[in-house]
Amino acid sequence: MFDRIAPRYDLLNRVLSLGRDASWRRRAVAAAGLGPGERALDVGAGTGDLALALAKAGPSGRVVALDLAPEMLGRARTRADASLRFVVGSAEALPFPDALFSCVVAGFAVRNFGDLPRALGDMRRVLVPGGRVVVLELSLPPNATLRAMHRFYLHRVAPAIATVLGSSAEAYRYLPASIEAFLDPERVAAALREAGFQRVRYERLTFGVATIHVGEA
Ligand SMILES: C[S@@+](CC[C@H](N)C(=O)[O-])C[C@H]1O[C@@H](n2cnc3c(N)ncnc32)[C@H](O)[C@@H]1O
């Protein structure tokens, strides 16, 4: 599915989030705190927005972008400079040795993983002790009125906008379904702790339509 929507993915992100996704990514980059010479991994990197922002934030850092969908990564490749490396692979079986990265980020990706506990465990395995994990994910606002409004937007408006902008209505019906089916932020935090991360905390962004989780290996 992600291979199919790759050509219109960035445009739909900007439009459907009303441009908020860029500021959510900036928060993720700040939380990752990539230092000079450190290595970072972006899991489910897609078209590379987060990986590119990370690479720009830490000029001497080295960033690896991993994704299951070659078409998504292909678009990232066209936008990248030499500081980025690309790997087609699975979050559940990261093709890296233990303790290679100082931070691991995942932007809007973890709700799509087939085996979340396994993927989070592998993300911890490739981190150095004390390394940072940053998980940015879509969520539903805790306020009941806002949640109802947001659900209407996700279920009714988003697929229609996707069709008008030349993407797949089916994929943008999957979007709300995947958000509804996913864990709420408290449970994501619990999953991170179960995977062995410490000092896990999260912050709701833009009334709770997105959430950023941070932890340490
Ligand atoms: C919604 S996109 C997010 C892309 C990007 N991180 C961003 O911030 O826009 C989710 C991405 O996760 C990838 N993905 C889904 N399951 C995966 C898995 N098990 N391993 C690696 N990547 C996966 C998809 O191919 C897709 O590119």
Side-chain angles (χ1 to χ4, degrees), residues 2 9 13 25 42-50 66-69 72 89-92 106-109 111-114:
F2 284 105
Y9 176 80
N13 262 357
R25 285 176 216 281
D42 182 5
V43 183
T47 55
D49 269 356
L50 196 50
L66 173 136
D67 201 285
L68 213 49
M72 293 287 273
S90 161
E92 289 86 353
F108 316 114
R111 74 175 191 285
N112 302 292
F113 293 168

Side-chain angles (χ1 to χ4, degrees), residues 130-145:
R132 285 96 50 205
V133 66
V134 180
V135 171
L136 185 60
E137 196 44 272
L138 297 173
S139 47
L140 292 169
N143 175 283
T145 308

Side-chain angles (χ1 to χ4, degrees), residues 25-42:
R25 285 176 216 281
R26 281 197 293 276
R27 294 289 285 274
V29 169
L34 185 61
E38 290 187 337
R39 288 193 189 91
L41 172 66
D42 182 5

Side-chain angles (χ1 to χ4, degrees), residues 74-165:
R75 299 193 78 81
R77 262 196 195 96
T78 64
R79 308 162 66 200
D81 61 27
S83 61
L84 266 178
R85 297 276 176 277
F86 300 93
V87 177
V88 175
S90 161
E92 289 86 353
L94 295 172
F96 308 109
D98 296 358
L100 183 65
F101 298 98
S102 300
C103 56
V104 174
V105 301
F108 316 114
V110 298
R111 74 175 191 285
N112 302 292
F113 293 168
D115 187 338
L116 182 65
R118 190 165 159 190
L120 294 180
D122 226 30
M123 286 159 68
R124 193 178 74 87
R125 178 186 65 76
V126 299
L127 275 170
V128 297
R132 285 96 50 205
V133 66
V134 180
V135 171
L136 185 60
E137 196 44 272
L138 297 173
S139 47
L140 292 169
N143 175 283
T145 308
L146 290 177
R147 189 164 60 243
M149 287 165 62
H150 192 56
R151 278 192 163 130
F152 178 81
Y153 177 71
L154 287 172
H155 285 275
R156 299 293 172 88
V157 182
I161 293 176
T163 310
V164 169
L165 293 181

